[in-house]
Amino acid sequence: MPANTTASSGHKSGKKKGRRARLIVIVLVLAVIAGIGYGSYWGVSTVRASYPQTTGSITLKGLSGPVDVRRDSYGIPQIYADSDADLFMAQGFVQAQDRFWEMDVRRHTTSGRLSEMFGDSQVDTDAFLRTLGWQRVARQEYDKKLSASTKKYLQAYTRGVNAYLSGKDGKDISLEYAALGFTNDYKPQKWSPVDSVAWLKAMAWDLRGNMQDEIDRSLMTSRLSAKQIKQLYPQYPYDKNKPIIQGGGIDPATGEFDPDLKSGGLTEPPGSTGTDPSGGDTGSGVAGDGSATAGSGGSENTDGSNPSGTTESGTTGSGEQGGQGTSVQGSTGQSDAQGISSQLAGLSDALERVPAVFGPNGNGIGSNSWVVSGAHTTTNKPLLANDPHLSPQLPSVWYQMGLHCRSVSAKCQYDVTGYTFSGMPGVVIGHNQNISWGMTNLGADVTDLYLEKVTSDGYQYDGKTLPFKTRKETIKVAGGTDKVITVRETNNGPLVSDRDKEIAKVGKRAPVANVAPDRGDGYGVALRWTALDPGNSMDAVFSLNRAENFSEFRKAAAQFEVPSQNLIYADTAGNIGYQAPGRIPTRPKGDDGSLPAPGWDADYRWTGYIKQSELPWEYNPERGYIVTANQAVVDQDAYPYQLTTDWGYGTRSERITDLIKSKIKDGGKISTDDMRTMQMDNSSEIARLLTPYLLKIDVKDPYVREAQNLLQGWDYTQEPDSAAAAYFNAVWRNVLKLAFGNKMPKEVRVKGQCLNVEPVNTTGPVDEDQRVRECGQRDADTAQPDGGDRWFEVVRQILKDQDNDWWKVPGSRNKPEINTRDGLFGRAMQDARWELTAKLGKDIDSWNWGRLHELTLKNQTLGTEGPGFLQHLLNRGPWKLGGGEAAVNATGWNAAGGYGVVWVPSMRMIVNLDDLDKSRWINLTGASGHAYSAHYTDQTDKWADGETLPWAYSEKAVKGATENTLVLKP
């Protein structure tokens, strides 16, 4: 569950007194529960009451036969059953034993019902989530899309969860419920299959692609020119960092992707691009004119005006009841001064309130996976590594588990192990008896923001006024009054601008090329997103778990519609492969999806989706390895479709490739331990680029020169004890701040950073000082410049230009102006010296990167905010980490916000396809979500040190590792 999903996330002071009072009560209750309060009614027995039973036997109604649950010394369960239904029922029961609080908060997130648990501080968040309608779409998927077998598995899993809940009070389930019971009367409710399906929507939301970049580019227009913005979002460096697929193309004869195609592949899309999002013919390459959309009420419009399904009304509605925000439909009575930038800033604020399941959505976040064929390994069979980079959470987003049929047959089809999500059946990443697979985010552009011309009668489309699709949503509030909101949808999707007062301000201008309609009543902002159309991604989980070869793997991948992931593959027969799956839209020529589009213009509608047979794939490439680390998938000149304009820039992928090449040079072989060492590579590629320039700066100040000397002979590795890494990263942060950050609009700068700047669009005399004070508005982990490898590329492109305009910094009362690269680098080195003196002390011998770069694991909800006493009870850390931004060991930090760790390798695995019992794995935390369990964070020290655990798979190996056995009986 998201680390920033709290009972008080991101809301204003009007509600803080009640929220803080509630937190104080919770703190006191937790103190009592933990046995800290002398003479307390509750003691250690209450804490332990929710611990799972791991030995003996339990009778579960609904099982058809006995199920063994074997746990190793880390509490990791391996389940053995004789039928699929029993296997998944037991999975639900066991996950609920360890993680039900996490599961419950997750389902309240996906359904927009956090207010039922945490009160009115979550109403705005719930309103936004209800507008997106994740739970509604999940219900449609369950009712209409998923296969009969998947539904049976979901039902079995649900029976297991509810069997665990049966007869239990909240305090019997988790310590957090005992505390929550003192602030409201919330009681855990029964689980449903739709609760499991909806979790994939949360996963898709945080891995949705470039939506934040789209917003940021638009916000930057208030202070930067189109040319400057383009410089800050440079083209992917294909000449420097290789894409995943290094060849191939779409064969004109078959219309399918051929990884072995040498030349002559299609460079323009073929006439048909699959199913039109409107349900119509895509032969023309442009969506229909929408003339049928003016129909009445809740009927489905032919142009796809109802992506989320049926609604209650076809009227325009009147915004919200219960004071939930200003409707966009009428004029706000304010001036146009803020315009579209204000709308998008408001949307960005609303997005920040949505719990981030996997971490900050932006350029820096990503994952690593790579596979090496047996020709280059010590085992003569493939080795596959994966480490997804996600938000640090306590407990970890992943739950390790094995699901084993005692005898694989038609009745019981699974023998699979790996990383699961609590609340969802099956294994997401891992291996079975024949194949292994890993995932990284492909980053496909599957979202678009549409500016909508809103009037009192509806919204404008293709010269007509169409009625909104509307529905009312009731938000129940613990300890408060229910709030009713009205969700409005256009033919492009839900009107997300209704969820924030600031978004509802009248637009001044729109970043669109065509003539825009009159702004009299203002623009709204609608969201088009593939995940809001029902799909069958849940089917893909089970298909992957059963797949026996590459052909079945590809068929399973075809079902994985959202989120779009890079899937890598290896099998025990010695084959390796890759598949890019996903429901990826095609857009009309001239629309690259990088900026909000005019929703009133039919020419900007999606034209279809890329066919699965056209998506890139690879099998046993001649080079003998495949690397995916969020870089470009395929050369843009060899592929007719645009997957995105916002790839990761390939720094990690190129470093991994270099490490592999160096090991296999001259016939060298790669071992399992070599793969682990590569995962822990701390090299800083931006340091490798900049340090030679920094060492040439003539530094006059002896104290700054003392710090500069730390870089002499440094090997660019970012170990926790490295003083050079600490100083370089401080210099890099200050380079970014001086060259770019201070020139950004307030909407993307970090909160608390205030600057005296010229007002936007001033028309006053040039000889008058009209500067105003503007303060940043972004949270520290999402502000710009974040220092990701996009910024590496920005700096690389101007590095040799000593007089580039980006190096210029105006003077102030205390400091002279800067006009050159070396001048800016010198100032950054000076500022970094004094910054670290303040943070780490004057003596550089006491400096080290780990003191700056710390990870604190925060328990979701109750551990993310509040008095230090509360945090001490539920949170763990800090850990002093190595690694850094865009390193292979990607312990990410946001340069605009500070040095603290904001995302991490959330797990690490290495699968040995020669002997699966010699595979290795590690989780960020432990198996348990119970705060005082021995398995709460028992893997974290090893994770921080780069160690891994043995990964038993065969029944013999599992028995040898078993510490406790629980038998579930029918």
Side-chain angles (χ1 to χ4, degrees):
M1 189 46 222
N4 65 337
T5 303
T6 73
S8 54
S9 61
H11 296 283
K12 307 303 180 186
S13 58
K15 299 173 181 175
K16 282 186 177 177
K17 282 189 176 180
R19 184 170 76 239
R20 286 174 177 167
R22 188 178 298 116
L23 282 171
I24 290 170
V25 172
I26 291 171
V27 170
L28 294 175
V29 172
L30 286 173
V32 172
I33 292 174
I36 293 174
Y38 177 76
S40 61
Y41 177 75
W42 285 342
V44 174
S45 61
T46 301
V47 177
R48 291 176 176 171
S50 62
Y51 287 4
Q53 179 180 337
T54 59
T55 60
S57 64
I58 299 175
T59 299
L60 292 190
K61 184 179 179 180
L63 287 176
S64 63
V67 176
D68 294 335
V69 181
R70 300 171 182 166
R71 293 179 184 259
D72 66 10
S73 59
Y74 286 87
I76 299 170
Q78 305 283 341
I79 299 176
Y80 287 83
D82 292 316
S83 72
D84 292 340
D86 285 356
L87 191 65
F88 292 119
M89 182 176 179
Q91 183 182 16
F93 181 87
V94 171
Q95 286 189 341
Q97 278 188 306
D98 281 333
R99 299 281 192 94
F100 187 76
W101 170 262
E102 174 191 29
M103 292 164 60
D104 202 14
V105 175
R106 281 181 176 178
R107 69 165 163 177
H108 280 77
T109 299
T110 58
S111 59
R113 293 167 47 220
L114 289 167
S115 300
E116 294 178 17
M117 296 182 77
F118 304 113
D120 61 2
S121 67
Q122 295 299 305
V123 167
D124 288 349
T125 299
D126 283 345
F128 193 87
L129 291 164
R130 295 284 186 95
T131 299
L132 294 178
W134 294 350
Q135 189 85 353
R136 296 177 70 250
V137 181
R139 167 61 66 183
Q140 293 169 43
E141 291 182 350
Y142 181 79
D143 290 343
K144 301 177 182 179
K145 286 283 189 177
L146 298 181
S147 68
S149 61
T150 294
K151 288 183 180 181
K152 288 180 181 178
Y153 301 153
L154 288 164
Q155 292 161 5
Y157 181 90
T158 296
R159 288 195 300 273
V161 176
N162 290 331
Y164 169 75
L165 295 177
S166 179
K168 288 183 172 65
D169 292 329
K171 69 181 187 323
D172 300 322
I173 297 171
S174 177
L175 171 143
E176 289 92 340
Y177 288 114
L180 202 62
F182 277 71
T183 65
N184 62 57
D185 58 357
Y186 174 80
K187 304 293 182 187
Q189 300 170 0
K190 286 186 176 182
W191 195 260
S192 80
V194 175
D195 293 332
S196 297
V197 178
W199 177 239
L200 285 176
K201 299 302 171 187
M203 179 181 176
W205 175 253
D206 275 6
L207 303 176
R208 64 193 178 272
N210 73 337
M211 182 173 164
Q212 192 62 57
D213 288 323
E214 190 173 333
I215 292 171
D216 287 355
R217 276 188 287 261
S218 298
L219 293 174
M220 288 178 187
T221 60
S222 67
R223 289 207 170 272
L224 301 176
S225 68
K227 179 181 177 182
Q228 288 174 313
I229 295 171
K230 186 176 181 180
Q231 291 170 344
L232 298 186
Y233 289 86
Q235 291 289 317
Y236 182 88
Y238 288 95
D239 59 333
K240 178 175 174 285
N241 298 336
K242 296 288 189 274
I244 297 171
I245 305 295
Q246 297 171 26
I250 295 181
D251 189 333
T254 64
E256 298 182 351
F257 189 89
D258 181 353
D260 297 321
L261 192 68
K262 301 301 182 185
S263 62
L266 293 176
T267 57
E268 293 290 334
S272 175
T273 58
T275 304
D276 188 294
S278 68
D281 184 3
T282 63
S284 66
V286 180
D289 65 5
S291 60
T293 63
S296 64
S299 62
E300 180 72 28
N301 291 331
T302 60
D303 69 342
S305 63
N306 186 15
S308 300
T310 58
T311 61
E312 299 175 7
S313 170
T315 63
T316 59
S318 58
E320 304 176 1
Q321 300 175 21
Q324 285 312 115
T326 305
S327 172
V328 184
Q329 66 180 5
S331 172
T332 62
Q334 300 180 27
S335 72
D336 291 345
Q338 295 301 313
I340 194 65
S341 292
S342 180
Q343 294 182 22
L344 292 171
L347 176 57
S348 185
D349 290 342
L351 297 182
E352 285 189 354
R353 286 200 302 270
V354 177
V357 175
F358 297 114
N361 182 273
N363 173 256
I365 193 166
S367 303
N368 301 323
S369 68
W370 67 94
V371 60
V372 181
S373 77
H376 300 306
T377 68
T378 57
T379 65
N380 297 318
K381 287 290 180 70
L383 294 172
L384 185 150
N386 195 190
D387 55 290
H389 306 157
L390 306 173
S391 173
Q393 299 174 32
L394 181 57
S396 166
V397 69
W398 300 109
Y399 184 84
Q400 296 153 289
M401 180 175 254
L403 302 173
H404 307 278
C405 290
R406 293 190 180 97
S407 177
V408 176
S409 64
K411 179 184 177 183
C412 198
Q413 305 173 71
Y414 297 89
D415 190 8
V416 62
T417 179
Y419 294 86
T420 72
F421 289 139
S422 300
M424 201 177 93
V427 169
V428 178
I429 296 175
H431 71 80
N432 61 26
Q433 67 273 37
N434 296 304
I435 77 164
S436 177
W437 66 96
M439 297 184 187
T440 63
N441 195 24
L442 192 151
D445 187 357
V446 296
T447 59
D448 275 335
L449 296 174
Y450 284 90
L451 304 175
E452 303 286 1
K453 171 57 180 173
V454 177
T455 71
S456 59
D457 298 320
Y459 65 97
Q460 186 172 318
Y461 178 73
D462 206 23
K464 301 172 183 177
T465 298
L466 307 182
F468 289 110
K469 295 279 188 160
T470 64
R471 69 177 187 274
K472 293 190 183 299
E473 297 272 358
T474 300
I475 299 173
K476 297 185 180 299
V477 182
T481 304
D482 292 355
K483 301 296 175 71
V484 179
I485 65 169
T486 298
V487 177
R488 303 189 291 176
E489 293 184 3
T490 74
N491 59 2
N492 291 309
L495 204 65
V496 290
S497 53
D498 277 354
R499 298 284 73 87
D500 193 282
K501 293 179 181 180
E502 189 175 15
I503 308 174
K505 294 178 181 178
V506 180
K508 181 179 180 181
R509 58 187 173 87
V512 292
N514 66 329
V515 177
D518 178 73
R519 300 176 176 82
D521 290 326
Y523 293 149
V525 181
L527 171 65
R528 185 76 173 103
W529 179 31
T530 56
L532 296 185
D533 297 322
N536 59 345
S537 293
M538 185 63 75
D539 287 338
V541 174
F542 301 107
S543 296
L544 277 173
N545 288 190
R546 292 191 305 264
E548 296 183 1
N549 52 51
F550 190 62
S551 176
E552 292 182 8
F553 168 81
R554 291 192 68 209
K555 289 178 181 177
Q559 299 172 316
F560 212 122
E561 296 180 335
V562 290
S564 186
Q565 298 288 286
N566 293 307
L567 296 177
I568 60 166
Y569 168 94
D571 62 35
T572 55
N575 303 298
I576 66 173
Y578 164 84
Q579 175 69 59
R583 197 166 191 236
I584 303 173
T586 57
R587 295 172 175 83
K589 203 163 188 176
D591 177 17
D592 64 3
S594 63
L595 289 168
W600 52 81
D601 190 337
D603 289 342
Y604 282 82
R605 289 184 61 78
W606 291 355
T607 59
Y609 296 95
I610 303 173
K611 294 179 182 177
Q612 180 67 25
S613 62
E614 297 173 320
L615 288 170
W617 61 280
E618 195 166 37
Y619 189 58
N620 291 330
E622 186 177 344
R623 64 186 178 277
Y625 57 86
I626 301 170
V627 176
T628 82
N630 315 110
Q631 78 270 40
V633 169
V634 66
D635 192 325
Q636 62 179 354
D637 294 331
Y639 191 66
Y641 297 109
Q642 175 184 284
L643 299 176
T644 184
T645 59
D646 294 294
W647 300 111
Y649 281 75
T651 300
R652 283 178 287 107
S653 63
E654 200 63 19
R655 176 62 178 171
I656 294 167
T657 299
D658 289 345
L659 291 171
I660 293 172
K661 285 180 175 179
S662 68
K663 288 298 295 184
I664 65 176
K665 184 180 179 182
D666 299 325
K669 301 289 185 177
I670 293 176
S671 68
T672 301
D673 196 56
D674 290 332
M675 299 284 273
R676 183 196 64 82
T677 300
M678 291 178 192
Q679 287 180 324
M680 293 302 296
D681 183 78
N682 286 332
S683 176
S684 170
E685 297 308 297
I686 190 61
R688 194 180 304 275
L689 178 67
L690 292 189
T691 298
Y693 289 87
L694 298 178
L695 289 173
K696 292 178 182 178
I697 303 296
D698 183 14
V699 176
K700 305 297 185 184
D701 188 315
Y703 289 102
V704 179
R705 191 164 59 251
E706 181 184 33
Q708 182 189 36
N709 288 337
L710 290 172
L711 304 178
Q712 294 280 0
W714 179 41
D715 62 0
Y716 315 121
T717 59
Q718 301 170 96
E719 297 297 332
D721 61 356
S722 172
Y727 182 58
F728 174 81
N729 283 319
V731 174
W732 171 237
R733 180 174 186 245
N734 281 278
V735 165
L736 291 171
K737 180 180 177 181
L738 291 166
F740 310 105
N742 292 349
K743 299 163 188 175
M744 297 280 185
K746 63 181 182 295
E747 292 86 357
V748 302
R749 293 203 319 272
V750 69
K751 287 178 182 176
Q753 183 198 38
C754 298
L755 301 172
N756 294 321
V757 296
E758 294 290 337
V760 175
N761 298 328
T762 180
T763 57
V766 295
D767 56 351
E768 290 184 7
D769 186 354
Q770 304 179 64
R771 285 182 294 182
V772 296
R773 193 155 181 81
E774 287 187 351
C775 297
Q777 299 176 352
R778 277 279 172 87
D779 285 346
D781 59 358
T782 58
Q784 293 293 333
D786 61 18
D789 64 352
R790 171 166 66 87
W791 293 99
F792 293 10
E793 184 62 17
V794 169
V795 170
R796 186 178 75 88
Q797 292 198 1
I798 64 173
L799 188 57
K800 294 182 179 180
D801 183 359
Q802 177 76 249
D803 301 315
N804 190 280
D805 285 346
W806 287 111
W807 304 130
K808 301 182 187 306
V809 177
S812 65
R813 285 179 297 176
N814 301 321
K815 296 182 178 179
E817 67 178 2
I818 299 172
N819 292 297
T820 66
R821 179 200 65 208
D822 287 353
L824 186 140
F825 282 7
R827 176 76 59 80
M829 293 171 73
Q830 178 182 343
D831 291 350
R833 189 358 166 163
W834 302 123
E835 180 186 0
L836 294 197
T837 296
K839 290 180 179 295
L840 303 179
K842 184 177 180 180
D843 181 5
I844 64 171
D845 290 336
S846 69
W847 292 2
N848 66 63
W849 177 225
R851 289 179 62 196
L852 288 174
H853 194 52
E854 291 187 337
L855 167 68
T856 296
L857 292 172
K858 297 184 178 181
N859 183 279
Q860 55 185 320
T861 63
L862 303 183
T864 57
E865 186 176 329
F869 184 71
L870 171 64
Q871 297 178 20
H872 174 75
L873 287 172
L874 295 177
N875 300 340
R876 300 293 182 269
W879 283 267
K880 301 180 189 305
L881 299 184
E885 187 63 44
V888 179
N889 182 22
T891 55
W893 55 287
N894 185 302
Y899 304 98
V901 176
V902 297
W903 58 80
V904 295
S906 57
M907 61 81 159
R908 298 185 185 101
M909 76 172 193
I910 303 161
V911 182
N912 183 329
L913 277 301
D914 176 59
D915 185 345
L916 293 169
D917 286 331
K918 292 182 179 178
S919 301
R920 309 287 297 185
W921 63 351
I922 195 75
N923 206 351
L924 173 64
T925 64
S928 180
H930 299 286
Y932 294 95
S933 165
H935 303 307
Y936 193 45
T937 56
D938 58 342
Q939 297 186 51
T940 309
D941 285 344
K942 290 184 179 296
W943 172 90
D945 291 338
E947 299 178 32
T948 54
L949 302 176
W951 186 353
Y953 174 68
S954 70
E955 186 171 12
K956 178 181 178 181
V958 169
K959 282 184 177 179
T962 296
E963 294 276 329
N964 295 297
T965 300
L966 173 69
V967 179
L968 305 178
K969 296 181 177 180

